[in-house]
């Protein structure tokens, strides 16, 4: 089973190719190399880092997830051990969700996959020739991308059905607004930043609910960490 965050890590490169163009290719490569140099945690690609209901999770995918967390938390006071814990927690959690989604019959239809494929990826390129060139340059195939999209959609379906995210309260919005005002040198108006605040709070709440779901699934299933 392909892994959701693996797809995001790899396909992000594909989207950046479409957005940046050839003239920015050298800069993009330099940026990627810089990020790679900051990542110190690596395990053998074939090493089994965890078992989830008998399914072996491998080091190759773990390393990509670890790299994502390392880049995202760059500049923060987070140790390698903490990054490792976050990465393996995400890896195990997404595997549990994908297993449960499959068992619950939440596999997306071919129509849903094709629509997401066209909207999220092919539409980012001026024509099919440019898209096929990007696939070749990044050693990807349409089959691989669609397989990853299927996981992404199944993951989202299961999470949506098994979590509930409440709307931000006025108190939460006001608190976030006060923080923005303190950190901004400009005169910020609530009406101008409220949509962004609401979106950010909802994303934070969703991540909290997903983490609760991960924790509950780990309690209810056979999980063995082998790092």
């Amino acid at each position: 089973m392909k892994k959701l965050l693996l797809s995001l890590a790899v396909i992000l490169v594909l989207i950046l190719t479409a957005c940046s163009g050839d003239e920015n290719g050298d800069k993009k490569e330099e940026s990627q190399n810089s990020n790679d140099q900051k990542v110190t945690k690596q395990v053998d690609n074939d090493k089994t880092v965890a078992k989830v209901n008998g399914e072996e999770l491998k080091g190759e995918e773990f390393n990509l997830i670890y790299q994502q967390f390392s880049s995202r938390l760059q500049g923060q006071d987070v140790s390698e051990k903490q990054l490792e814990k976050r990465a393996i927690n995400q890896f195990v959690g997404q595997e549990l969700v994908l297993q449960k989604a499959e068992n619950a019959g939440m596999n997306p239809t071919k129509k849903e996959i094709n629509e997401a494929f066209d909207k999220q990826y092919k539409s980012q390129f001026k024509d099919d020739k440019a898209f096929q060139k990007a696939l070749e340059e990044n050693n990807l195939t349409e089959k691989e991308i669609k397989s990853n999209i299927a996981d992404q959609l199944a993951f989202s379906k299961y999470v949506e059905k098994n979590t509930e995210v409440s709307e931000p309260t006025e108190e939460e919005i006001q608190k976030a607004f006060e923080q923005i005002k303190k950190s901004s040198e400009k005169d910020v108006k609530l009406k101008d930043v409220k949509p962004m605040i609401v979106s950010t709070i909802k994303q934070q709440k969703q991540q909290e609910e997903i983490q609760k779901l991960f924790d509950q699934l780990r309690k209810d299933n056979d999980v063995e960490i082998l790092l």
Side-chain angles (χ1 to χ4, degrees), residues 5 7 58 85 109 113 119 129 134 178 181-182 203 215:
L5 286 189
S7 72
K58 296 297 184 179
K85 184 177 180 180
T109 64
I113 295 171
K119 182 178 180 179
K129 183 178 180 180
E178 293 299 330
K181 285 202 301 182
K182 287 181 181 179
Q203 289 177 12
D215 292 342

Side-chain angles (χ1 to χ4, degrees), residues 66-80:
Y66 183 93
Q67 181 177 341
Q68 285 183 322
F69 274 100
S70 179
S71 298
R72 189 186 310 167
L73 300 174
Q74 182 179 341
Q76 298 186 29
D77 186 19
V78 181
S79 68
E80 185 174 285

Side-chain angles (χ1 to χ4, degrees), residues 3-15:
K3 299 300 182 290
L4 177 61
L5 286 189
L6 172 62
S7 72
L8 295 180
V10 174
I11 296 175
L12 177 60
V13 176
L14 185 63
I15 298 304

Side-chain angles (χ1 to χ4, degrees), residues 90 202-212:
Q90 184 70 39
K202 289 184 71 172
Q203 289 177 12
Q204 291 172 344
K205 289 187 174 186
Q206 184 181 48
Q207 289 304 313
E208 290 171 0
E209 291 301 311
I210 290 175
Q211 186 57 57
K212 290 178 183 177

Side-chain angles (χ1 to χ4, degrees), residues 10-22 28 121-122 124-142 144-145:
V10 174
I11 296 175
L12 177 60
V13 176
L14 185 63
I15 298 304
L16 288 175
T17 301
C19 295
S20 63
D22 293 338
K28 182 185 70 176
Y121 305 109
K122 289 197 73 174
Q124 307 296 322
F125 297 83
K126 61 181 181 180
D127 53 37
D128 187 63
K129 183 178 180 180
F131 178 61
Q132 295 300 327
K133 180 182 178 182
L135 288 178
E136 182 178 348
E137 289 176 347
N138 292 283
N139 296 316
L140 292 168
T141 66
E142 290 191 11
E144 287 174 327
I145 294 178

Side-chain angles (χ1 to χ4, degrees), residues 3 6 41-45 47 49 57-69 80 83-89 91 227:
K3 299 300 182 290
L6 172 62
K41 180 66 179 183
Q42 292 288 314
V43 299
D44 292 340
N45 286 345
K47 175 182 173 61
V49 297
L57 308 189
K58 296 297 184 179
E60 181 178 12
E61 294 165 310
F62 168 81
N63 288 334
L64 285 171
I65 296 173
Y66 183 93
Q67 181 177 341
Q68 285 183 322
F69 274 100
E80 185 174 285
L83 283 173
E84 177 186 293
K85 184 177 180 180
R86 294 190 186 192
I88 198 65
N89 175 70
F91 198 5
L227 280 174

Side-chain angles (χ1 to χ4, degrees), residues 89-102:
N89 175 70
Q90 184 70 39
F91 198 5
V92 168
Q94 74 182 31
E95 174 63 27
L96 284 165
V97 168
L98 291 175
Q99 287 184 11
K100 293 301 178 183
E102 183 175 7

